[in-house]
Amino acid sequence: MDQVGDIIENFLRWAVIMKQLVILILVMLMFPTASIEAMPEYAKWGKIAVEETQKHYKAAIIDYKHIGRTELTPKKSEEKFKLWIRNKAGNEFGVIVTIQFNPSTEIVQSIQFSETNR
């Protein structure tokens, strides 16, 4: 009888381990956050830079690069981007887009465009 009791005990241990393993796999499938990267802080400002450049130049955006953020004052920060654009005539050139905003309220204070051929 002891052998039957040992077999049942081992089976129950195995069943508990398998149940825990199944639950772990299901949780990993439901919440795959470890493999998803968070959007960078500048993503919102990059979207604004692209949209405003398209409106300003009525051109296609070919490439995009975040240059960086500068804290100018406690109430004024600046995000800079370099966009490479192609206008309707087929000419390509770079545009440095500078967005100044209040970091607390995220209200845009100004957007400046500076053309470059590099």
Side-chain angles (χ1 to χ4, degrees):
M1 225 24 176
D2 283 337
Q3 285 181 332
V4 172
D6 288 343
I7 292 171
I8 292 173
E9 188 177 325
N10 286 337
F11 176 77
L12 292 174
R13 261 191 244 143
W14 178 82
V16 168
I17 291 170
M18 292 308 292
K19 181 180 175 183
Q20 291 172 341
L21 183 61
V22 168
I23 290 171
L24 177 64
I25 291 170
L26 289 173
V27 168
M28 289 172 55
L29 290 172
M30 289 172 48
F31 303 104
T33 55
S35 64
I36 297 175
E37 292 184 28
M39 288 182 58
E41 279 186 47
Y42 62 83
K44 171 186 177 176
W45 306 109
K47 182 177 183 225
I48 291 171
V50 167
E51 290 170 353
E52 293 299 316
T53 302
Q54 286 175 323
K55 277 193 245 177
H56 186 79
Y57 289 96
K58 296 177 182 28
I61 308 298
I62 299 170
D63 202 2
Y64 160 102
K65 179 182 179 186
H66 178 243
I67 295 173
R69 176 182 282 202
T70 305
E71 305 292 331
L72 303 172
T73 70
K75 293 190 177 191
K76 186 183 277 188
S77 291
E78 169 177 282
E79 288 281 3
K80 279 192 178 185
F81 300 88
K82 181 174 184 182
L83 281 68
W84 197 254
I85 66 175
R86 180 183 300 127
N87 63 17
K88 290 182 181 182
N91 301 323
E92 294 183 9
F93 55 96
V95 176
I96 303 295
V97 182
T98 304
I99 303 173
Q100 291 186 351
F101 61 96
N102 182 320
S104 300
T105 63
E106 294 194 338
I107 294 175
V108 174
Q109 297 169 346
S110 70
I111 300 176
Q112 298 174 334
F113 303 96
S114 175
E115 295 179 19
T116 177
N117 54 7
R118 293 187 208 187

